[in-house]
Amino acid sequence: MTGFYIALIFFVTGMFLVAVTLLFSRLLQTKKPSPDKYLTYECGELPQGGAWIRFNNRFYIIALIFIIFDVEIVFMFPWAVVYGKIGLLAFVEMFIFIVVLLVGLAYVWANGDLQWVKPRPKLEHLPKAKGK
Amino acid sequence: MEMQEVLFYAIMAFTIFSAVIVAFANKLIHSAFALLFTFVGFAGLYIYLSADFLAVTQIIIYVGGILVLILFGVLMTQDIYDVKAIAAHNPLLLSLGGGAFTAIIIAVLISKKPWFTLLNKEFAPTTATIGKLILYEYLLPFEIASILLLGALIGAVYLARAEDKDK
């Protein structure tokens, strides 16, 4: 259980460092806001439109698939701890477990849910110069 | 007070504070991020119940998975930045009714005795015990869980895709 104390120390330290950094920044900074400074920095270009666009649905499906296999991994932790003592039986049991879930992976794969949509930018062709 | 007890109250305060932010934040995205800290606080409470495996599971699945899903849900909603959280505009009667209902349930639970007290107990790791149980005694539920997951996966993806096609 002492491992959790270490985890707690890491968590608190992490939050503390972020808070201290922000606090120092707040204390040291001078505030002279101007509209230009509030612009989003996009490599020196003027930003077009808001940053809060709708994300593609595909992210959601990928996240759903991720959660299912996340749960599968959670089941594998206690299995892995006792695997050395039980041996072949544990192997067979987990094999069945994984094969059943592989059916799901095959299903989403075959249906193209794992396919990433590639952006197909429509290039605007320059109008041809007249007189040629 | 002992160190353990102080820590317990600190974790409780942390959890409740983030839960309050979830309920009262004006922007949905702030609620979603505060939910992250609520989930982490719950993991701390599980550790106090000597459920170390459950605590880690809570972090892996809720913080690592469900919260990502919620964030995607928030990010995929149209004009989310202009939408104020609906909780702030609920009719007073409905809110009071819901609150009273929850309070009654909690009161009934509190009045049930005896309470388990786990403070100052020696905590033992539970992962190996769980591993043995799911491989011997609870083998069938374990394998059925995989079928349940399979059903959830196919169903969820099918529904999410059907929505995608509508547009």
Side-chain angles (χ1 to χ4, degrees), chain A residues 91-127:
Chain A
F91 178 78
V92 172
E93 286 168 2
M94 188 47 85
F95 187 76
I96 297 170
F97 186 79
I98 290 177
V99 163
V100 170
L101 276 169
L102 273 183
V103 175
L105 184 64
Y107 172 79
V108 292
W109 197 343
N111 272 290
D113 287 314
L114 298 178
Q115 211 95 45
W116 206 250
V117 196
K118 287 174 188 154
R120 289 198 200 114
K122 279 182 186 167
L123 294 175
E124 281 181 34
H125 290 285
L126 291 173

Side-chain angles (χ1 to χ4, degrees), chain B residues 51-115:
Chain B
D52 56 348
F53 181 71
L54 192 59
V56 175
T57 307
Q58 163 87 2
I59 299 237
I60 292 177
I61 292 180
Y62 276 86
V63 179
I66 305 278
L67 201 81
V68 170
L69 205 63
I70 291 175
L71 278 178
F72 276 146
V74 169
L75 289 177
M76 282 188 303
T77 313
Q78 196 103 45
D79 298 328
I80 195 70
Y81 210 59
D82 303 325
V83 178
K84 300 276 186 221
I86 308 149
H89 305 293
N90 264 348
L92 187 66
L93 266 180
L94 272 180
S95 318
L96 280 180
F101 183 66
T102 317
I104 289 171
I105 290 178
I106 292 176
V108 167
L109 284 181
I110 286 179
S111 65
K112 290 224 165 151
K113 304 232 165 163
W115 280 69

